[in-house]
Amino acid sequence: MAACSGRNVFDPAMYTGCSQAPTEPKKLGRRRSVTSVSAECSQEPVEPKEPGRRRAAANASSTKLSRYTQQHRGRQRIHRALLRKLDFEFQSEADMLVDPEEADSIEVRRHILVRELMTTVQQVGYAELGESDSDMQPSLSAMTAWDQYNKIAAHSDSATLLGQIPISTSSLLICELNFMRAPQNYHRRFENIVQVWDSCSAQGRPIASTAVFSMYLRALNMLGRHQMVLSKVARWCEPHDDKKRVLPISMMRQLILAYFCGNQPAKAMDLFFYIKSAPEYHQRITPHIYATVLRGLLQTKHLPNQDLYILVEDLLDLLTQPAYDAGPRTGMLNEILQASYKFDNIALMTYVFERFLARGIAINNTTLGIMLRSSCGSNSDVRDIHSLYKTIMASDLARVRMSEHVFATFITAFVRAERPDYALKVVYDLLAHECWNQGVWHLHELFAYYADTSMAARALDLFRLVDEDGVQMTWRVCTCVVSALSRGGQISEQFDPQSADIDTLLTMGAVYGSEGHADQALDVFTELNSRTTADPLVFALIAIKIHQMISTYAERTSTGFRFEPTSSGLRTEHELHMATSCLSTTMDKLFALDMCIHQDVFHHAISAFILARDNEKSQHTYDRMVQIKQMGPTSHTFNVLLRAAMRSWGVDAAFDMFEQLRANSGPVHSITANVLIHGLFEAQQPDRALDVYAYLVGRPTPLVNHTGFTEFLTPVPCDTYTFALLIRGLVRADLVKEAAVVFEDAFSLLPQVPRQLLETFISALEEAGLFDVAAACLKRYSKRVECAQIEAEELKYMLAQANNAAPNCLPLSYFAYLPETSHDHE
């Protein structure tokens, strides 16, 4: 590098990292008209013009910059210098007009495409500085200018037109492409930069700007042409006018990068140490040099971590100088963390994070995201996770950046590492943090862990801790606590319901209900109903456990189970009546309270009443759920209804419900219809299943000419599961032709037919022994299905249908359509 010493003959304001402050470029207004310039040259007095909008805005606020340029002062200087040259080109063309007769010749000097390119590049440049006119197109970007350049390159006379493009325009175009922020064109822009540069060089008009040359070198490095970078820099360093050039710091950075990427780390480090020791670079070294060196050393593993720690400390000494504000400091931190994570140097990553925090450098959400991705992975050591968490909470700069999502990530990581004690500590910190908005979704993993490991006391304590602030509990939290109490609770022989507290009653009620002690469980539930409490866990426990007991009783009676004196659970009609009465009392108490509770509590109660064949209580509960609690029915409501009806009254009663619903033109959700179709096939009633399918479609199909409902369109169409149930059920009922027609319907009724549906059809045929038919169907439909492969959006659509709310046109009480003779099925 001895050949690179000498005086720098270039303007230091033309490249990033200069020690001299750039001069403020002259703010130019709009291009002067031919008439005004001619009048000025002829010394005739003309009326003074009002300043342009750009000049007026600049005079009103000379420091008005976009947020982006405020964070990149070096880029701002380069933009201003290149824009000053381009403005000078416009000004020079106007000054060349001597008299009005020469106006036409001057206007046609450049092709219209070239003049449009010059104007577009100029507007893009001012837009990046935040000094564009208010009426300027907001969609202008570097790619807009590049598209204009492509029109010139594709012109039949491109050689001539490219020669008309001023060097200042090409330079500013390269600058805009280099600083472009659009991620979708990130790599393409470097090819564009090389093309513009090479075009100027091929015309014998090379760009002399040092800053633009550095951008060209960066593009070569990003394209992997590292050897070309070395040759271009060597040619640039050749003596010029008997004077040796000094490489600016931006070029030195690209040269170091080329050495590292070219697997020459020793030369890269020699160059870096030369920069640190050379007097001409003493005030010009930038943090980007250190970042490039650290990334290169991480990639090549040329030095041990101890040497990398020294470089990090030198970088911190430079970053903490007053010349750098919070934005560049945090950006440099994220860049080094990302490189450390990419090249799997977690030790350096941890050291950099801790040292930057210790030196008072703030972090952002990106910083936390990088650290969480590295430390909270599936194969991470719990000690590393805990160490990171302690580091964050020990720093005020990091703690203020914590959000509920970050806390939830730590809770999940600790739970999966089987350290609920660490997870509980995170919960306490979350409850004390200002980011907590009284939500409990982030605690699901911890509650589920307590349920799986039968930690009844801890689940109940955590529930009480969160419930103190009046937070509305989710249904998943309630079910996890009930499950933990059922598994981990112990039966006490000295238990007295009347003297026990609420938590003891909850524990004993869960245990009795799970182990089949129906009498004791109902005694506990009765005592809970007598207490004055608005505990959501009480209502959830009673609804879940009584539903389980009634469900077991209904299943046993439907299968002819013979009850013995030692049988567990409900054994007689009297005990069933006591259970429904207890649940009804609980619902009455819940409706009388002004409290928020999850709708699944009412779903469990409605299902339990239907299973017990108590039409009046189910109707009453449904009406009050809609009227008092203002909870409209959802697809889950009707799914629960039909499932319970088929289990309790049989499929005939469920189909009677469907018939009465259809008579009132009530819509049927696909989930509800799927349950009914499945039950009808199980009852060997395929004709009724096809009737439900025709009503769900709402229009004639090749299978069923359902003319009675051609004008009725259901809000939710058939889904893939509807067709799968129909095809499998029809094949099992020896209705193969009908199954084939239903499969044909899928191509017109589904957005795209997934291959899984064809596999269901083929497997059903093979299970029925129809191998020839299966082979013929596979040959006929496989190519057609392959051309309509299901996309990810369709998969999300199908999974989201379970949460779709029922439409507003549903009747006020769905249960008004229950058969009046429902008890005849007993």
Side-chain angles (χ1 to χ4, degrees), residues 424-686:
L424 188 59
K425 177 61 171 62
V426 178
V427 171
Y428 281 111
D429 293 338
L430 170 61
L431 298 180
H433 199 274
E434 57 270 14
C435 72
W436 186 49
N437 63 354
Q438 295 190 336
V440 294
W441 60 268
H442 41 270
L443 304 179
H444 288 167
E445 289 287 341
L446 185 54
F447 276 112
Y449 179 84
Y450 287 151
D452 294 339
T453 55
S454 304
M455 295 184 177
R458 293 190 178 183
L460 194 56
D461 291 342
L462 180 58
F463 185 91
R464 295 301 181 210
L465 175 66
V466 181
D467 189 49
E468 288 179 356
D469 295 332
V471 180
Q472 182 179 1
M473 295 297 175
T474 63
W475 184 248
R476 184 178 177 184
V477 169
C478 294
T479 55
C480 286
V481 176
V482 171
S483 177
L485 294 176
S486 302
R487 296 178 181 180
Q490 299 293 331
I491 296 180
S492 174
E493 297 180 357
Q494 306 298 327
F495 171 67
D496 181 11
Q498 296 182 354
S499 61
D501 57 10
I502 294 294
D503 289 349
T504 304
L505 289 173
L506 288 171
T507 304
M508 299 310 298
V511 175
Y512 285 142
S514 299
E515 297 187 0
H517 301 282
D519 295 338
Q520 293 89 334
L522 291 176
D523 290 341
V524 173
F525 298 154
T526 303
E527 180 64 27
L528 284 172
N529 286 331
S530 66
R531 302 288 180 94
T532 304
T533 178
D535 189 350
L537 193 57
V538 170
F539 302 105
L541 173 70
I542 296 176
I544 291 173
K545 290 305 176 181
I546 291 183
H547 179 271
Q548 289 177 356
M549 291 189 291
I550 295 178
S551 178
T552 303
Y553 178 84
E555 183 177 356
R556 289 177 174 179
T557 53
S558 64
T559 58
F561 179 82
R562 183 176 179 180
F563 291 96
E564 300 291 342
T566 58
S567 300
S568 61
L570 302 175
R571 298 183 296 273
T572 64
E573 288 286 341
H574 176 69
E575 291 180 350
L576 177 64
H577 177 71
M578 290 179 58
T580 55
S581 299
C582 180
L583 181 58
S584 179
T585 303
T586 303
M587 292 297 103
D588 292 340
K589 181 179 179 181
L590 178 57
F591 286 121
L593 294 174
D594 185 15
M595 63 174 295
C596 296
I597 198 165
H598 201 276
Q599 193 173 13
D600 275 338
V601 173
F602 304 112
H603 288 165
H604 275 69
I606 291 171
S607 178
F609 290 138
I610 294 176
L611 290 173
R613 302 178 181 181
D614 195 331
N615 186 25
E616 182 180 354
K617 287 187 173 63
S618 62
Q619 171 72 56
H620 191 52
T621 303
Y622 177 89
D623 287 340
R624 290 191 294 176
M625 178 188 73
V626 175
Q627 297 172 357
I628 299 177
K629 294 298 182 181
Q630 300 295 317
M631 293 181 179
T634 65
S635 60
H636 183 50
T637 306
F638 300 116
N639 192 20
V640 169
L641 168 64
L642 280 181
R643 282 183 183 274
M646 281 191 290
R647 290 183 59 188
S648 177
W649 299 322
V651 69
D652 292 333
F655 190 77
D656 290 342
M657 294 167 54
F658 165 74
E659 287 287 357
Q660 297 189 35
L661 177 64
R662 182 169 64 176
N664 290 271
S665 297
V668 178
H669 195 278
S670 60
I671 295 178
T672 307
N674 292 346
V675 175
L676 187 55
I677 290 172
H678 174 73
L680 290 169
F681 276 121
E682 290 293 325
Q684 298 181 359
Q685 300 180 19

Side-chain angles (χ1 to χ4, degrees), residues 622-778:
Y622 177 89
D623 287 340
R624 290 191 294 176
M625 178 188 73
V626 175
Q627 297 172 357
I628 299 177
K629 294 298 182 181
Q630 300 295 317
M631 293 181 179
T634 65
S635 60
H636 183 50
T637 306
F638 300 116
N639 192 20
V640 169
L641 168 64
L642 280 181
R643 282 183 183 274
M646 281 191 290
R647 290 183 59 188
S648 177
W649 299 322
V651 69
D652 292 333
F655 190 77
D656 290 342
M657 294 167 54
F658 165 74
E659 287 287 357
Q660 297 189 35
L661 177 64
R662 182 169 64 176
N664 290 271
S665 297
V668 178
H669 195 278
S670 60
I671 295 178
T672 307
N674 292 346
V675 175
L676 187 55
I677 290 172
H678 174 73
L680 290 169
F681 276 121
E682 290 293 325
Q684 298 181 359
Q685 300 180 19
D687 53 338
R688 286 185 169 183
L690 290 177
D691 202 10
V692 175
Y693 165 69
Y695 180 75
L696 185 65
V697 172
R699 61 180 177 81
T701 67
L703 180 63
V704 180
N705 188 15
H706 201 62
T707 56
F709 299 94
T710 55
E711 297 181 357
F712 177 77
L713 298 178
T714 55
V716 181
C718 301
D719 56 21
T720 306
Y721 306 107
T722 308
F723 289 97
L725 289 169
L726 283 166
I727 290 171
R728 184 174 292 277
L730 290 172
V731 171
R732 291 178 177 177
D734 294 331
L735 300 174
V736 179
K737 291 182 180 180
E738 288 78 359
V741 177
V742 170
F743 187 77
E744 287 282 352
D745 287 349
F747 288 97
S748 61
L749 296 176
L750 290 179
Q752 286 183 337
V753 177
R755 184 169 181 81
Q756 291 85 341
L757 187 60
L758 175 59
E759 293 173 353
T760 300
F761 190 18
I762 301 302
S763 63
L765 292 171
E766 292 177 347
E767 290 174 2
L770 304 174
F771 298 101
D772 294 338
V773 179
C777 291
L778 180 63

